[in-house]
Structures are given as C-alpha cells and as structure tokens.
Amino acid sequence: MKPGVYSIKYRIDCYHCRADADQMIRVVPQQAQVVCSSCGATRIFVPKMAEISEKGDYTPISCYDVWQLEPTAHCRNCGVEGVHDLYVGCNHFTSRCRNCGYTNFYKFNLQYIDKCSIEEDFCDPVIR
C-alpha cells in the first residue's frame, strides 16, 4: 500500500445495529472511514491537521469508549513501515507514527447508513 494508506478491522458491537461485527477502518490522507460489516453504518472523518507531535498531544476525549489500536503501516512522513497509534472516538480520529511522531488528526464529518461492499476502495455517498 501507499504511505499513509492502511486498513484494519476491529471487532466490537456496532453503535447502529448493535451486532457484534467487524468495524472496517480505512485511512487515507484525505479521509478516514469506519464501516460496520453488518449493517453498513459508516462514519467519515476529514483531516483537520497534520504535524509532528509528542505522544499524548492529541488526547482523545469522546462520548463513548475510545478505540486504541496499533496497526502497522508505512508513514507518509518518514516512509518507515512501523506501528502507528490509532485512536478512534465518536468525534475524532487520530493516527500517529511511533517512529517520527507524524500525526494526522481527523474530525467527524459525516455519517450514513448504506450497505455496500467493504472490499471496495471506499463507499462514497457522493459518488454513486
């Protein structure tokens, strides 16, 4: 995959259908998405900022439990494939490279419910 682009699954109860299902998380520089594999409920996050930061600079605050994940990906900044700290909340999404500290902070932008193939690149509600 290209630097800054990665996918990960996280199994948890869906906020919409309440089913225990994989939440498909896809990150690209232009947006991040969380898609329920059961009902298709999709949350889209758009970039707010990107910079080098210290761990904990963007402490997640959320109305629900924050998901703390550690996917392996190629960093857009340093190009090294390594562990990233990924935090997903109801209103924010943060990805930080552990190697160089490059942080992408996304804010919640759009939610829609539409069952689509999660194997496609992106389910885009605008381009259909």
Side-chain angles (χ1 to χ4, degrees), residues 6-117:
Y6 59 94
S7 299
I8 185 173
K9 294 179 185 178
Y10 183 60
R11 191 154 192 97
I12 195 166
D13 291 347
C14 173
Y15 73 95
H16 181 259
C17 69
R18 305 288 186 235
D20 180 33
D22 285 335
Q23 303 300 305
M24 311 301 290
I25 302 166
R26 178 86 187 230
V27 180
V28 298
Q30 300 80 15
Q31 69 174 250
Q33 290 187 359
V34 179
V35 181
C36 175
S37 62
S38 175
C39 71
T42 302
R43 291 183 292 152
I44 297 175
F45 301 83
V46 294
K48 185 166 182 172
M49 57 70 49
E51 68 179 17
I52 305 295
S53 70
E54 296 295 320
K55 185 172 182 170
D57 280 354
Y58 294 92
T59 304
I61 299 171
S62 185
C63 47
Y64 302 106
D65 290 341
V66 175
W67 306 346
Q68 297 180 18
L69 309 172
E70 298 177 342
T72 300
H74 282 91
C75 177
R76 278 181 52 203
N77 187 56
C78 67
V80 172
E81 181 176 5
V83 177
H84 284 62
D85 294 308
L86 181 65
Y87 298 97
V88 182
C90 63
N91 293 316
H92 69 282
F93 190 110
T94 305
S95 175
R96 181 181 177 279
C97 174
R98 284 194 187 164
N99 184 57
C100 70
Y102 185 70
T103 302
N104 286 289
F105 182 79
Y106 301 83
K107 65 179 182 169
F108 176 76
N109 180 262
L110 176 71
Q111 172 183 315
Y112 68 97
I113 312 299
D114 186 16
K115 187 73 172 165
C116 61
S117 172

